[in-house]
Amino acid sequence: MEIFRSSRLRLTIIYSSIMCVFLIVLIFGVQKAMDWSFDSEQRRELYDAAAGVAEAQAYQIQHPRTTIDENLYYRNTNDRLFFYVFDRWKQLVGFVRASFKVEPFILEYMNQDEIPSGEIKVISYPNENGKMTQIMMTSKKIRIGEIEQTIYVGKDVTALYSGLQKATFLLIILGVFALVIASAIGHIMAGRAIIPMKEAYEKQKQFAADASHELRTPLAVVMASADLLLADKSIQNPILREVITDLKGEVKKMSKLVSDLLTIARNDNAALKIKFQKLNLGYLLEQNIRMMKPLAEKKGVKLSGVDIKKCFIQGDEEKIKQLILILVDNAIKYTLKGGEVIVTLENVEDEKVIFSVKDSGVGIAPENQEKIFDRFFRVDKARSREMGGNGLGLSIATEILRLHDGKISVESELGVGTKFTVELKTILGVK
């Protein structure tokens, strides 16, 4: 059934959305963690290297005739790590060179003296292939007496950041794959979760159909008995006749409820076949207006049709008649004495026809306008009961339109009135 398919789809969407948010947060968190880990490790390495070079330079300044092994202070385990030492006059006094591809850019950058001592900067520039090369650098100043030197230590981290980007991209691909798998599993699990509800619904629907069918006969007997009692001239007691009249009225309400329940049960039956045929919608509207006018006049309500003309649709005659009857009957029911109900054929095109039923009744509050199409929903239960409403009419109308691939909408204002607009597919346009 449509209700279970849409419910399953909604559950799948909700589950997929939750998983999507979870995976996005997870991927973002992992990417930030890897970024922090790589960055902090490179910074620590640069700080250690700068401290080692500074220590070696300070020792050599203090002991100029002593030869030292730089590897004791500067462990260049990666050929991407380099350093340059300048005196206060910008003269190069020591170095472990960077790659010849990046050295010109590094020297130019260091000459600008844009790296404060003790800070780390990541600088980027395009290489000959147009890709960005990323260099992480720091500086450290040392002063021994009158001698002052500036040490620049750097490392080419392009490969590391490129690896980080590839790892992030791989995480995204795995996340999308995991989301697809999770959505498929969620769809399967949602289907399994709905099975017990569907079985219970089928049993309830079958019970409603059986009970409605079985109740029709005894209700018909009670109605016939009430008619016989009212026709019996020997019953002259006014109180007794009033009781019989009330009984007949309640039996009518119950018969209508049973009929509506049976209609819903039949409409819910997936095996239900509707008989599509060519119908003159204009004629059906005029027929309904003629049929409902006595009821409207009895209540003091004016019922009229506007722009009713011949147009043809493809549909089930009994169900389209029932649809029109529900809308017009509701309009009359909820319009006070002196009010007006107007049935209008608003628009006829080659592909669709639109008609409306407008009343000057009590109106519907905005928060209830979507709920009125739900089964058994009544805006004012006490008043609806007095008027014979059971909250099933508009639900039946919605189901009829679903079977005909049509639409219904409502516009209403409290104390002003309500307008129901129906859209159906036309087949031959205006004739």
Side-chain angles (χ1 to χ4, degrees):
M1 284 185 63
E2 183 66 28
I3 185 174
F4 292 108
R5 284 195 296 269
S6 60
S7 297
R8 184 180 185 181
L9 179 61
R10 284 197 298 271
L11 286 173
T12 303
I13 292 174
I14 292 172
Y15 177 77
S16 299
S17 300
I18 293 173
M19 287 301 299
C20 183
V21 172
F22 172 75
L23 288 172
I24 289 174
V25 172
L26 180 64
I27 292 171
F28 180 79
V30 171
Q31 193 273 337
K32 287 297 180 183
M34 290 192 302
D35 188 34
W36 172 83
S37 177
F38 287 155
D39 186 74
S40 60
E41 182 63 23
Q42 299 311 307
R43 287 172 181 269
R44 183 195 63 78
E45 186 176 4
L46 285 180
Y47 283 135
D48 290 347
V53 173
E55 183 179 351
Q57 289 299 118
Y59 185 85
Q60 194 166 19
I61 292 171
Q62 294 172 345
H63 306 84
R65 296 182 180 180
T66 303
T67 302
I68 62 171
D69 184 4
E70 290 182 347
N71 288 327
L72 295 176
Y73 302 96
Y74 174 73
R75 296 178 175 83
N76 188 4
T77 58
N78 188 323
D79 60 358
R80 296 180 183 274
L81 197 63
F82 57 86
F83 76 85
Y84 296 87
V85 182
F86 295 88
D87 60 19
R88 67 174 63 188
W89 297 284
K90 299 290 185 179
Q91 297 298 314
L92 186 64
V93 297
F95 61 87
V96 169
R97 299 181 63 178
S99 166
F100 72 93
K101 294 181 179 180
V102 301
E103 187 177 53
F105 174 77
I106 296 300
L107 292 173
E108 181 182 354
Y109 193 86
M110 288 187 296
N111 286 333
Q112 297 175 2
D113 197 23
E114 294 186 1
I115 305 177
S117 179
E119 293 187 12
I120 288 181
K121 281 192 174 183
V122 178
I123 56 179
S124 303
Y125 77 99
N127 57 27
E128 66 275 8
N129 298 323
K131 297 182 179 180
M132 298 302 294
T133 298
Q134 293 178 305
I135 308 295
M136 182 178 284
M137 294 186 65
T138 187
S139 69
K140 190 176 182 65
K141 292 184 180 294
I142 59 172
R143 183 189 296 270
I144 305 295
E146 295 296 323
I147 299 176
E148 181 179 324
Q149 294 181 347
T150 303
I151 302 168
Y152 293 94
V153 179
K155 184 177 182 180
D156 186 348
V157 293
T158 305
L160 293 173
Y161 278 90
S162 176
L164 180 62
Q165 290 177 351
K166 290 179 180 178
T168 303
F169 183 69
L170 180 60
L171 279 174
I172 293 173
I173 294 176
L174 291 176
V176 171
F177 181 73
L179 181 61
V180 172
I181 298 297
S183 298
I185 294 174
H187 188 69
I188 295 172
M189 297 303 293
R192 291 183 178 179
I194 286 176
I195 289 176
M197 292 185 287
K198 189 175 182 181
E199 291 176 349
Y201 180 80
E202 291 294 335
K203 291 179 181 178
Q204 182 185 25
K205 183 180 67 178
Q206 187 61 45
F207 171 77
D210 294 343
S212 301
H213 187 270
E214 293 299 322
L215 283 171
R216 296 180 76 179
T217 301
L219 285 174
V221 172
V222 174
M223 179 66 76
S225 301
D227 287 335
L228 287 173
L229 289 173
L230 286 175
D232 190 349
K233 296 181 180 180
S234 64
I235 301 177
Q236 299 295 328
N237 190 319
I239 297 178
L240 184 56
R241 295 188 70 83
E242 184 178 349
V243 170
I244 297 172
T245 302
D246 293 341
L247 173 64
K248 184 178 178 181
E250 292 302 318
V251 171
K252 281 184 178 179
K253 291 181 184 178
M254 196 167 186
S255 296
K256 185 177 184 306
L257 173 61
V258 168
S259 178
D260 288 345
L261 286 172
L262 188 58
T263 299
I264 288 177
R266 286 172 175 171
N267 286 344
D268 285 342
N269 188 352
L272 179 68
K273 301 295 182 182
I274 57 177
K275 299 177 182 178
F276 281 103
Q277 57 183 310
K278 179 181 174 182
L279 302 174
N280 184 346
L281 181 61
Y283 172 76
L284 296 180
L285 291 172
E286 289 178 337
Q287 184 184 49
N288 181 269
I289 292 171
R290 288 195 304 271
M291 182 180 67
M292 297 298 289
K293 259 190 178 179
L295 176 63
E297 291 173 354
K298 183 179 179 181
K299 191 177 179 183
V301 174
K302 181 181 178 181
L303 174 61
S304 60
V306 177
D307 294 333
I308 306 296
K309 49 186 170 284
K310 186 184 294 186
C311 68
F312 295 93
I313 62 170
Q314 193 81 7
D316 185 290
E317 183 175 2
E318 292 304 317
K319 293 194 177 299
I320 295 298
K321 284 183 176 180
Q322 186 180 16
L323 167 68
I324 299 171
L325 177 63
I326 288 171
L327 296 178
V328 175
D329 182 56
N330 272 359
I332 296 172
K333 187 184 300 178
Y334 292 102
T335 300
L336 302 178
K337 184 177 180 180
E340 185 178 13
V341 175
I342 303 174
V343 180
T344 307
L345 194 57
E346 292 193 347
N347 186 31
V348 180
E349 300 176 357
D350 290 337
E351 296 183 357
K352 65 181 178 181
V353 56
I354 299 174
F355 75 89
S356 65
V357 179
K358 183 179 180 181
D359 64 58
S360 57
V362 295
I364 305 167
E367 63 270 17
N368 292 324
Q369 289 181 15
E370 292 185 3
K371 301 177 184 177
I372 58 174
F373 299 102
D374 296 339
R375 293 178 183 178
F376 298 105
F377 179 81
R378 290 176 291 183
V379 177
D380 187 338
K381 294 184 179 180
R383 187 164 188 168
S384 297
R385 194 176 293 110
E386 291 173 3
M387 296 180 176
N390 52 42
L392 291 174
L394 290 176
S395 174
I396 294 173
T398 305
E399 183 63 22
I400 291 172
L401 286 167
R402 185 188 69 80
L403 294 172
H404 288 80
D405 198 20
K407 300 176 183 178
I408 185 170
S409 60
V410 60
E411 300 172 30
S412 185
E413 185 177 347
L414 287 174
V416 176
T418 302
K419 178 183 177 182
F420 285 95
T421 303
V422 173
E423 179 181 317
L424 289 166
K425 290 185 176 180
T426 185
I427 54 173
L428 296 176
V430 182
K431 293 290 182 180

